[in-house]
Amino acid sequence: MRKYLWGVVGFIWIWISLGTWAKYPSIKAEGAILIESKTNTILYEKNAHQRLYPASTTKILTALLIEQSLDEKQVITKSQDSVNTVPRDSSHIGLQVGESYTVQEGLYGLMVGSDNFIAHDLAKAAKGSIEAFANWMNEEAKACGALNTHFTNPHGYHDSNHYTTAYDLGKIAQKAFANEKVVKLAGTSDYTFHVKNNNRTLEIYNKNKILREGTPYYNKNVVAAKTGYHSDAKQALVAKAVYGEMELIAVVMKTDSPDQYQDMNKLFKYGAENFKVRGTKGSYQLTNRTASPWAQDMVSMGMERNWMVDKGQNYQQPIAVSELIYMLNAALNPTNRMTLSQVATLTGQTDLKEGNQLKRVQAAALVRGMCEQEGWLQPIQIINPYIPDIERVSAYEKSNIEFMVKRQLLGNKDVDFRPYEYLTWQEAIVMTSRVLK
C-alpha cells in the first residue's frame, strides 16, 4: 500500500512539476528573445546571439532612418534603377515605374505592403546610394547596441552578408518602436496608398496575422509588428506589445509558418503572466513573479542583497554553475572564495565548465563540503525523510542528500528531493539563505 501511495504521490508531483515548468515558453524558432523595454531587461532568450537572416524585418530600421531623415511631404518616384537592381521576385504593392508618392505614403508601402522597390528608392533619396544607406544602417545598428549585425540593403532580400541576431534585432526594435510614427506604421493592418501624379489608389493588405482581428493569432496588446521571410531566413517576426506599464519587445527568427505567431504569443503571455512594471518615467522597476510561493520571500531577499544580477531570470529554471558561484560568494562570503575548480573538486566533476548545470545530488556534495569546510553545520530539523530515487545513488551520495534534506537546505519541505533533476535558481537561493541561518 505504501508503495502504491508513493506512486500516486510521485505522479501528482510530476504533474505539478510539469505545470510549473510550462510557465517557461517552449519556442520552436531557432533564435528568439523577449525584452522588457522600460527596464531594458531580457526575460527570455534562445540562441539570441546566433547569426541569422532578418529578411523583411530589416525594414524596421529602414523606416526609422527614413522617418528621421526625410520630410514626409517629399515626393519620391519609382525608378527604373529600382527595377534594374531589386530582384524581380521581391514583394511589392503594384507601383509602376514613373509613379510618384510622398515619403509618408512610401513609409506605409514599406511597412504595411513590405515593398522592396519603395525601400530602394527611399534609401537612395536619403543617402544617394544603397551602399551609403547600408553603411548608415550598420552605424545606427551599433548605436542601438547590436553586436553582430551587418546590413547590405534596406529591404532584407537575401544576401549572405546581410545578417543579424535575435538579440541585435531586439535592440534595434527597442529604438525603432520607441518612435511613435514607426509604431503607427508597424501597427497598421490595412492602408489606402495614394499615387500622387495620377490619383491612382492601391489597397494595401498587411498579411501579418498577429495584427489581424479574426485570425487565431491576433493579439490585441500588440501595437507594432513586422514580418519577414525568404527561403534561407524562413519565417521571422518582430513585435511590440503593451501590458499596463510593461512594454515587451519580442523577436523570433528562422521557423515555419504559423509557428512565428504562436511563438510570439507564447513569449508575450510568458512576460505578461510572470513580470510586472511599476514606476514613473526614468524610474521603472520590474517585479519578477516566476518563483514558487514557498520561495518568493527568499528570492526577494536574495535580489535585495544582490545575490543575483539577472532580474529577468526564471527562478524555476536550472541555474548555471557560474551564477551559483556568484551567489554563494555574494551571500556567504566564505574565507576562501569559491572558484570553479573548488566546485569541481567538491562535486566530483573534473570537466566542469561555467555554463554547466548541477544535478541536486551534485549540489548536495557541494553544500555539505562547504558547510564542513566553513563550520556552517546546521541542526537537524526532520528525521528519515522520503527521498525518491535514493536507491539509485551511492552511499556517499546518499549521506550528502540526507545531510541536505534533514536540514531542509534545498527548498519546500513538501517537495521531494529527486537527486537527478537539476538544481533550480529558486532552490539555490533557498539553499543559500538557509545555510546562512
Side-chain angles (χ1 to χ4, degrees), residues 275-375:
F275 300 90
K276 194 170 184 177
V277 169
R278 289 190 177 91
T280 55
K281 189 173 183 179
S283 181
Y284 292 105
Q285 291 185 328
L286 182 76
T287 300
N288 184 328
R289 300 183 290 189
T290 60
S292 298
W294 54 266
Q296 187 63 64
D297 288 345
M298 279 170 276
V299 167
S300 297
M301 178 188 72
M303 185 63 71
E304 290 169 4
R305 296 182 181 181
N306 297 315
W307 293 358
M308 301 87 75
V309 175
D310 189 355
K311 295 181 180 180
Q313 179 60 50
N314 184 310
Y315 294 117
Q316 297 182 42
Q317 291 292 303
I319 186 170
V321 168
S322 58
E323 300 286 359
L324 179 60
I325 292 173
Y326 180 93
M327 185 184 301
L328 292 171
N329 286 333
L332 303 177
N333 192 26
T335 304
N336 298 311
R337 295 180 68 78
M338 295 300 297
T339 64
L340 184 64
S341 61
Q342 286 176 305
V343 173
T345 299
L346 290 173
T347 59
Q349 286 189 276
T350 56
D351 59 345
L352 192 65
K353 295 180 175 60
E354 289 188 348
N356 289 161
Q357 297 158 349
L358 294 181
K359 292 182 178 178
R360 291 170 178 169
V361 66
Q362 296 163 336
L366 170 64
V367 171
R368 184 176 186 180
M370 288 184 65
C371 286
E372 292 177 345
Q373 178 178 292
E374 300 291 334

Side-chain angles (χ1 to χ4, degrees), residues 33-45 167 170-171 174 246-250 267-268 270-271 274-278 284-290 303 308-315:
I33 198 164
L34 177 67
I35 304 170
E36 199 298 303
S37 195
K38 285 184 175 177
T39 59
N40 197 30
T41 306
I42 296 174
L43 307 182
Y44 172 94
E45 55 185 324
Y167 174 88
K171 301 305 290 184
Q174 269 188 276
M246 186 162 58
E247 296 182 355
L248 299 176
I249 301 288
L267 289 173
F268 286 145
Y270 171 73
N274 293 286
F275 300 90
K276 194 170 184 177
V277 169
R278 289 190 177 91
Y284 292 105
Q285 291 185 328
L286 182 76
T287 300
N288 184 328
R289 300 183 290 189
T290 60
M303 185 63 71
M308 301 87 75
V309 175
D310 189 355
K311 295 181 180 180
Q313 179 60 50
N314 184 310
Y315 294 117

Side-chain angles (χ1 to χ4, degrees), residues 65-84:
L65 298 184
I66 295 300
E67 196 280 327
Q68 292 177 337
S69 62
L70 297 181
D71 188 303
E72 65 179 22
K73 295 180 181 179
Q74 181 177 336
V75 177
I76 308 294
T77 301
K78 180 167 182 175
S79 66
Q80 186 62 46
D81 179 66
S82 73
V83 174
N84 294 340

Side-chain angles (χ1 to χ4, degrees), residues 11-22 316 360 421:
F11 173 79
I12 293 172
W13 185 91
I14 291 171
W15 180 78
I16 292 172
S17 177
L18 288 173
T20 297
W21 280 75
Q316 297 182 42
R360 291 170 178 169
E421 292 188 0

